[in-house]
Amino acid sequence: MRFSRPLIAILFLTCMAMPLAAQESKATSNSIVTSLDKSADPCVDFYQFACGGWIKNNPIPADQSIWSRFGELAERNRTVLRGILENAAKATNRSANEQKIGDYYATCVDEDSINKKGIAVLKPEFDRITGLKDKAGLPALLAHLHGEAIDGLFGFSSGADFKNAKEVIAQADQGGISLPDRDYYLKDDPKSVELRKAFSEHVANTFKLLGDAPDKAATEAKAVMDIETALARGSMDRVERREPEKIYHKLSQQNWQALAPSFSFAKYLSGLGAPTFTALNVAPPDFFKALDAELKTVSLDDLKTYLRWHLAHSQVQALPKAFVDEDFNFYGKTLQGTKELQPRWKRCVAAADGDLGEALGQVFVEKYYPPEAKARTLKMVNQLEAALHQDISELPWMSDTTKKQALVKLAAIQNKIGYPAKWRDYSALKIERGDALSNSLRANAFEIHRQLAKIGKLLDKQEWQMTPPTVNAYYDPTENDINFPAGILQPPFYDFKADDALNFGGMGAVIGHELTHGFDDQGALFDPEGNLKNWWTSEDEKAFKERTQCIVDEYDQFVAVDDVHVRGKLTLGENTADNGGLRIAHMALMKSLADAARQPEKIDGFTPEQRLFIGWGQIWCQNETDQMARLLALNNEHSPGKYRANGVVQNMPEFQKAWGCKAGQPMVRANACHVW
Ligand SMILES: [Zn+2]
């Protein structure tokens, strides 16, 4: 439920909500037409044409900062999950998983009990921090906090070894800040200064709620700000971090230690109970040097203050209402422009999905994801893979040598659809009715230790990084696989009663998007086995970079809000995937129409090609607050909906032909980009 979690992958969201048979194709068809703005010219602003009606009729609900077609479905999804959780809470003769999800949820929604308990449950944790006698005790203390997913100072977990992807190694990374990015601490524009001031007030208010006097709370907030600013200064930039070579530094434990002599990593690791290892990836070595410098100069009292803040901050959703309201006031209202806090049940559905996602997801899939839905997705994936095969084979700018390698990589992509082949075993996790905070801390500890236990083992490619009801999809370059949680096979992405054209513009383009990630500026650096290893000839690499630079330049021009532009380099991978995804979806539709013997009819007055583009445009309809638009443009790797729609179609002669657009019109880009 932390703000930072949805930030990374906020779009490509949809979800599954109702049994497939309950969907009405008539309603879908109507909603497509009513979402249009027929007064707009598709060749001037396609997004306005495809989404104008929807935008007008769908204001942002008070408890949201962004509202989209995804949001509509997510809302239905939440309702379904709520039903599952409420049933599990009151059922008798429950399975072990039903006991866990039911008691977790019932405890989470019992706000009265949470308010009555106050912060008593966290007292042992606070005592541990205030009892810290000297800096030599910090590694053991931090290990304890990290073991319960309480953030602070840096990050430590596990992940595939970029250069030997079949193995999992330990990973140390930058961390320890509470604003969405290091830039918030370092920039001096008025908005950044204003946000820092509001953040400091929020930290001070939290200390007041913990019982500190106002003067003291203000001093404490300054201490937190100072430490986080030092960590931010030592952190790598978001754009730089997109380059895998820059976040891969395999070091011995001794060399890691040498970066930060004043903090004993040996004591930290033993406190954490991490498996022994000889080498690890220290993503940004310079960060650990900066951490060391800060630890040398910061006072013990300030360090304790900083850790007290992070303890309250990371567990805020299980604390009394006053803490939650204070948190919402900054992270919801100020940062995102949301008017109202989500009702408790919605936050508890999200928490249950986060902490027990595969237990909840198992029930969800049994009830709402029939085998035929999986078969349909697989069929479409095969069609899109065939289209990408054809696309690569026909690329004018790539040599046969590199094409051959690209096709090997494409053939090696593993398709994961719906839900995991093997469900996660939660038997070691104790969930009890009655104490939300303890449930949350135990669930955190369970997950942290599950991640740590992977160190030194073979990478489990069957595992999922998203839960089945999750409103998202992903490609993993180290596994070379595409992953579509059960949720995504629903309108507006896939409607089994709708025509192919619409489905290719929705789900087809989503599949195409994930496949293309295997070949975007990041994905292209990894080989078929998921290793960071160059398989390109140098001329082809040069041609590829020229083409991706075209995409950077195109999206750099788009304005997200006020004077804030889309960041072309930050969003390059996603924009490349959007462009490739829709192009191969179009190819797959053309092939499918050619294979069908009869001539396709117009529906609602639109040809199949036009409907493919409408399908694409309409998955990006959205309204958002100015604050959210700014936040996303600065930090999110996805472009705003408007440019996901328009940025792609203006590069496509196929689009221009389908709509009869003429040279010089806005949706006909003179310098059209074409990578895949
Ligand atoms: Zn993507």
Side-chain angles (χ1 to χ4, degrees):
M1 284 203 287
R2 283 252 53 83
F3 165 78
S4 58
R5 284 172 75 183
L7 187 65
I8 302 301
I10 197 144
L11 291 181
F12 258 113
L13 308 179
T14 178
C15 67
M16 158 105 196
M18 300 205 297
L20 290 168
Q23 302 297 336
E24 284 295 332
S25 67
K26 259 252 158 67
T28 307
S29 181
N30 282 340
S31 81
I32 285 155
V33 175
T34 55
S35 295
L36 297 172
D37 172 3
K38 285 191 172 173
S39 72
D41 183 342
C43 297
V44 172
D45 181 349
F46 183 65
Y47 178 72
Q48 178 60 32
F49 171 78
C51 290
W54 189 93
I55 290 167
K56 203 169 118 218
N57 296 322
N58 290 277
I60 309 166
D63 68 349
Q64 309 285 330
S65 56
I66 182 165
W67 191 238
S68 59
R69 304 301 301 281
F70 309 92
E72 292 176 316
L73 290 167
E75 196 73 0
R76 280 162 57 202
N77 189 34
R78 269 194 285 272
T79 309
V80 168
L81 293 174
R82 181 190 196 178
I84 293 172
L85 289 164
E86 284 178 350
N87 281 339
K90 59 177 186 256
T92 47
N93 293 327
R94 299 182 295 182
S95 69
N97 275 346
E98 282 169 335
Q99 178 274 319
K100 286 184 185 17
I101 60 173
D103 287 349
Y104 182 100
Y105 181 77
T107 303
C108 181
V109 291
D110 185 1
E111 200 170 19
D112 286 348
S113 297
I114 291 170
N115 289 338
K116 272 190 208 124
K117 279 191 171 66
I119 56 166
V121 185
L122 275 189
K123 189 166 183 302
E125 304 291 338
F126 280 116
D127 287 350
R128 219 181 262 269
I129 295 171
T130 47
L132 181 67
K133 290 203 175 56
D134 50 36
K135 287 186 193 172
L138 178 64
L141 173 62
L142 196 66
H144 174 83
L145 296 172
H146 281 186
E148 290 179 333
I150 293 152
D151 286 342
L153 299 175
F154 64 89
F156 183 81
S157 189
S158 63
D161 183 343
F162 282 4
K163 297 204 174 169
N164 180 23
K166 62 182 187 301
E167 271 182 37
V168 178
I169 54 170
Q171 312 251 21
D173 207 346
Q174 65 193 42
I177 59 174
S178 317
L179 287 169
D181 188 81
R182 65 156 212 173
D183 287 356
Y184 285 82
Y185 298 85
L186 309 179
K187 280 161 64 175
D188 280 325
D189 59 285
K191 288 266 182 204
S192 302
V193 173
E194 194 185 308
L195 262 179
R196 280 201 291 277
K197 190 166 165 280
F199 172 64
S200 284
E201 278 164 20
H202 164 55
V203 177
N205 288 340
T206 304
F207 280 118
K208 281 187 241 169
L209 289 172
L210 288 171
D212 298 348
D215 278 5
K216 189 171 178 232
T219 316
E220 288 171 325
K222 188 179 177 303
V224 170
M225 198 56 166
D226 287 349
I227 294 176
E228 296 204 354
T229 304
L231 297 175
R233 263 201 199 101
S235 295
M236 265 174 96
D237 166 69
R238 202 174 272 278
V239 170
E240 232 184 318
R241 284 179 66 88
R242 293 197 66 254
E243 293 177 48
E245 284 284 2
K246 292 198 175 165
I247 51 165
Y248 182 79
H249 303 92
K250 203 168 171 183
L251 302 182
S252 68
Q253 216 170 299
Q254 279 166 322
N255 287 342
W256 183 32
Q257 185 61 74
L259 296 169
S262 48
F263 183 93
S264 168
F265 289 116
K267 279 188 194 157
Y268 168 79
L269 292 170
S270 110
L272 198 55
T276 53
F277 55 85
T278 49
L280 79 163
N281 178 27
V282 180
D286 286 348
F287 174 82
F288 285 89
K289 290 185 196 161
L291 172 69
D292 190 60
E294 179 61 12
L295 288 178
K296 279 199 178 99
T297 52
V298 71
S299 74
L300 186 64
D301 278 347
D302 285 356
L303 206 46
K304 290 187 203 179
T305 299
Y306 167 83
L307 293 174
R308 281 175 69 224
W309 152 251
H310 274 277
L311 173 57
H313 176 59
S314 63
Q315 288 305 312
V316 68
Q317 295 300 340
L319 289 178
K321 188 171 181 301
F323 285 86
V324 175
D325 288 345
E326 176 52 43
D327 179 80
F328 173 74
N329 195 40
F330 177 71
Y331 286 99
K333 262 189 195 155
T334 305
L335 201 55
Q336 301 190 38
T338 317
K339 289 196 177 73
E340 281 174 19
L341 180 65
Q342 281 189 350
R344 182 102 201 153
W345 73 264
K346 286 192 191 177
R347 289 176 278 138
C348 290
V349 167
D353 183 50
D355 283 342
L356 290 160
E358 288 197 15
L360 176 57
Q362 209 169 335
V363 187
F364 177 81
V365 162
E366 274 162 23
K367 291 195 170 171
Y368 300 103
Y369 192 67
E372 56 271 29
K374 190 165 180 164
R376 278 200 299 271
T377 315
L378 258 176
K379 185 183 170 211
M380 205 172 222
V381 167
N382 292 335
Q383 287 171 299
L384 267 295
E385 283 177 345
L388 183 52
H389 188 285
Q390 187 192 336
D391 176 68
I392 291 170
S393 309
E394 293 170 357
L395 282 181
W397 55 270
M398 188 185 268
S399 71
D400 286 347
T401 315
T402 306
K403 276 182 188 172
K404 213 172 138 195
Q405 296 301 317
L407 293 174
V408 170
K409 177 159 184 179
L410 173 61
I413 291 178
Q414 189 198 181
N415 305 320
K416 281 152 72 182
I417 310 230
Y419 51 90
K422 186 171 172 280
W423 292 101
R424 189 166 303 164
D425 176 6
Y426 290 98
S427 53
L429 170 58
K430 191 171 86 174
I431 297 293
E432 285 177 327
R433 195 169 292 221
D435 187 43
L437 201 46
S438 301
N439 283 342
S440 167
L441 289 173
R442 278 195 303 266
N444 285 351
F446 174 81
E447 176 58 16
I448 295 287
H449 289 96
R450 199 180 70 79
Q451 295 295 346
L452 293 177
K454 296 177 188 173
I455 295 171
K457 301 231 171 85
L458 288 178
L459 179 66
D460 177 6
K461 291 190 179 186
Q462 294 309 311
E463 199 195 325
W464 284 62
Q465 292 161 33
M466 287 179 181
T467 65
T470 298
V471 287
N472 220 328
Y474 68 97
Y475 169 81
D476 183 334
T478 59
E479 293 184 358
N480 194 26
D481 58 14
I482 49 175
N483 300 261
F484 300 97
I488 208 150
L489 199 73
Q490 280 290 294
F493 289 87
Y494 194 98
D495 180 348
F496 80 111
K497 285 185 175 174
D499 56 312
D500 271 0
L502 211 55
N503 286 330
F504 274 105
M507 193 61 201
V510 171
I511 295 167
H513 171 103
E514 301 305 341
L515 284 171
T516 309
H517 269 318
F519 304 90
D520 70 17
D521 63 311
Q522 284 179 324
L525 303 170
F526 291 83
D527 75 4
E529 279 77 47
N531 295 310
L532 185 55
K533 194 172 158 195
N534 195 342
W535 46 271
W536 294 67
T537 67
S538 54
E539 303 85 77
D540 289 333
E541 205 177 355
K542 191 166 161 271
F544 177 66
K545 282 189 177 149
E546 277 167 20
R547 276 164 173 75
T548 52
Q549 186 59 43
C550 177
I551 303 244
V552 173
D553 296 341
E554 177 191 358
Y555 286 77
D556 263 339
Q557 293 167 18
F558 298 141
V559 176
V561 61
D562 301 334
D563 58 343
V564 182
H565 281 240
V566 174
R567 300 174 70 181
K569 274 192 178 154
L570 180 65
T571 55
L572 173 58
E574 296 301 332
N575 298 333
T576 306
D578 280 347
N579 277 271
L582 186 59
R583 182 168 281 108
I584 62 170
H586 180 268
M587 288 170 71
L589 172 66
M590 291 298 105
K591 167 93 171 58
S592 152
L593 290 175
D595 289 351
R598 66 189 174 82
Q599 193 63 24
E601 293 160 11
K602 282 188 177 184
I603 301 176
D604 298 326
F606 298 111
T607 67
E609 275 185 280
Q610 288 174 332
R611 287 174 67 76
L612 168 109
F613 291 111
I614 290 173
W616 169 252
Q618 290 194 344
I619 60 176
W620 302 119
C621 302
Q622 69 184 49
N623 282 308
E624 78 253 293
T625 63
D626 283 358
Q627 292 92 327
M628 194 60 177
R630 177 176 291 269
L631 180 77
L632 293 175
L634 294 175
N635 303 298
N636 194 280
E637 297 199 350
H638 303 85
S639 297
K642 174 177 179 178
Y643 302 116
R644 294 192 78 162
N646 285 354
V648 173
V649 299
Q650 62 180 254
N651 285 324
M652 289 184 73
E654 300 89 338
F655 169 86
Q656 291 136 18
K657 191 168 149 264
W659 294 95
C661 306
K662 308 221 162 29
Q665 287 190 289
M667 294 299 108
V668 186
R669 192 172 146 79
N671 184 17
C673 306
H674 185 168
V675 186
W676 301 102

